[in-house]
Amino acid sequence: MKNFVRLAAGLIVAASFMSGAVSAQTVLKSSDTHPDGYPTVEGVKYFGELLKERTQGRYSLEVYHSAQLGEEKDTIEQVRSGVIELNRVSMAPFNGTVKESIVPALPYIFRSEEHMHKVMDGAIGDQIKKAFEPAGLVVLAFYDAGARSFYNKTKPINSVADMKGLKFRVIQSDIFVDMVAALGANATPMPYGEVYSAIETGVIDGAENNFPSYDTAKHAEVAKNYSLDEHTILPEVFVMNKAAFDKLTPEDQAVFKQAAKDSVAKQRELWSAKVAESRANVEKLGAQITMPDKQGFIDAMAPVYEKHVKDDVLKKMVEDVKAVQ
């Protein structure tokens, strides 16, 4: 399957290069695991529109949504190696590669989405962007992905005690595995596209995600107990292959960065509307939404911080995030 994905990605890339030659444009490729119309997909599309307009058509963008080029783990390697130029992915899969990406992925590190915006739009966000460069990536933007919460098909979750023994799919990140373990449950890392069938067949009891993903991936059909524990407010990251970025003229680099910055406001607007729409959709499907005691979840996270926030750089970053008002 992986070889097929790589072959498919190669064919798409080859076709896009041919298209670029015919139209006298440089056609860039960007991947997203979410379906067409999802706020992150639309945010990247808007970036592409701005880029084409501001370079008088010298650059255009093709967005491959719905994991057409593979799941996030595959496309991260594709963009790092230069097979594709751009990629929109969650922050968490980078935790093993970019140390500074650990901090935004920590549970309950952000007090609210507004707090997250202030952190990621400021000096701490700049520090994280810089840390991606040795991994061969340039961060163009941080997008919204809202608050992630647990959902399952077994029972409502009203407290940490209700988590005991349940099996949850998590992002392929050690932080998420340890977070679930700290709550007395069992974590199963797996690709996003496999979650529906895994819940349906009983391989796992549920997963954790935001309302738009819970809705658009149809997980509400098979896991109707949604608990608003809001354990992470995890930003998405829009990255570009550094070698491709470095080949741009300084003027074009500035255009790319500004177009990405301008796409953030659009994506956040779309995100806010989609959260409300998706919550209404899942409630119509019969999802039962509970409001657990968050303090119990927060208190359980101490071992996660102890394990993952080890060195002075990360400890200072955590304190700096907490100090942002």
Side-chain angles (χ1 to χ4, degrees), residues 226-278:
Y226 192 97
S227 171
L228 271 173
D229 63 279
E230 299 181 318
H231 46 266
T232 60
I233 303 176
L234 183 66
E236 308 277 43
V237 60
F238 181 37
V239 295
M240 183 171 182
N241 173 271
K242 188 174 185 299
F245 183 83
D246 288 345
K247 289 178 183 177
L248 300 173
T249 65
E251 293 77 14
D252 282 343
Q253 288 179 355
V255 171
F256 272 65
K257 287 185 175 181
Q258 189 61 49
K261 183 177 181 179
D262 292 344
S263 75
V264 171
K266 179 73 169 178
Q267 195 273 337
R268 287 177 180 172
E269 178 186 341
L270 293 170
W271 181 262
S272 181
K274 186 65 177 177
V275 169
E277 176 191 324
S278 290

Side-chain angles (χ1 to χ4, degrees), residues 75-273:
T75 59
I76 286 171
E77 290 309 310
Q78 288 173 35
V79 76
R80 289 185 70 191
S81 63
V83 173
I84 59 176
E85 291 88 2
L86 296 138
N87 200 8
R88 194 293 313 159
V89 285
S90 174
M91 182 77 72
F94 291 105
N95 292 165
T97 307
V98 180
K99 178 179 68 174
E100 287 81 354
S101 72
I102 288 172
V103 173
L106 290 168
Y108 299 106
I109 187 69
F110 298 118
R111 298 185 294 273
S112 64
E113 285 192 43
E114 292 74 21
H115 181 219
M116 184 271 285
H117 291 164
K118 288 181 180 180
V119 170
M120 303 309 292
D121 291 347
I124 298 170
D126 290 341
Q127 181 182 355
I128 294 169
K129 286 180 179 180
K130 187 175 181 180
F132 270 75
E133 294 186 8
L137 298 166
V138 172
V139 175
L140 294 178
F142 297 115
Y143 284 158
D144 274 16
R148 299 176 72 97
S149 294
F150 290 104
Y151 51 88
N152 76 96
K153 68 175 186 178
T154 306
K155 61 182 179 180
I157 295 171
N158 293 299
S159 68
V160 172
D162 293 325
M163 296 283 292
K164 188 174 182 179
L166 293 178
K167 293 179 290 184
F168 291 97
R169 175 268 178 180
V170 295
I171 296 174
Q172 291 164 306
S173 160
D174 289 345
I175 290 176
F176 277 67
V177 171
D178 293 335
M179 173 185 69
V180 171
L183 295 169
N186 301 302
T188 302
M190 69 171 61
Y192 182 65
E194 297 176 11
V195 176
Y196 185 102
S197 61
I199 296 174
E200 187 177 37
T201 58
V203 173
I204 55 177
D205 296 300
E208 51 81 45
N209 221 313
N210 50 56
F211 274 123
S213 295
Y214 180 55
D215 171 30
T216 59
K218 308 298 182 186
H219 296 171
E221 293 179 353
V222 290
K224 294 191 180 297
N225 301 297
Y226 192 97
S227 171
L228 271 173
D229 63 279
E230 299 181 318
H231 46 266
T232 60
I233 303 176
L234 183 66
E236 308 277 43
V237 60
F238 181 37
V239 295
M240 183 171 182
N241 173 271
K242 188 174 185 299
F245 183 83
D246 288 345
K247 289 178 183 177
L248 300 173
T249 65
E251 293 77 14
D252 282 343
Q253 288 179 355
V255 171
F256 272 65
K257 287 185 175 181
Q258 189 61 49
K261 183 177 181 179
D262 292 344
S263 75
V264 171
K266 179 73 169 178
Q267 195 273 337
R268 287 177 180 172
E269 178 186 341
L270 293 170
W271 181 262
S272 181

Side-chain angles (χ1 to χ4, degrees), residues 268-322:
R268 287 177 180 172
E269 178 186 341
L270 293 170
W271 181 262
S272 181
K274 186 65 177 177
V275 169
E277 176 191 324
S278 290
R279 179 165 183 167
N281 287 344
V282 299
E283 286 176 334
K284 286 178 184 175
L285 280 174
Q288 301 298 309
I289 300 171
T290 58
M291 301 283 291
D293 171 23
K294 282 189 186 180
Q295 192 58 50
F297 285 79
I298 294 170
D299 293 344
M301 293 301 104
V304 179
Y305 278 70
E306 289 172 8
K307 180 176 179 180
H308 294 280
V309 185
K310 292 180 178 179
D311 65 32
D312 291 340
V313 171
L314 295 185
K315 287 177 181 178
K316 185 177 187 304
M317 282 186 71
V318 167
E319 293 306 312
D320 289 345
V321 169
K322 290 179 179 179

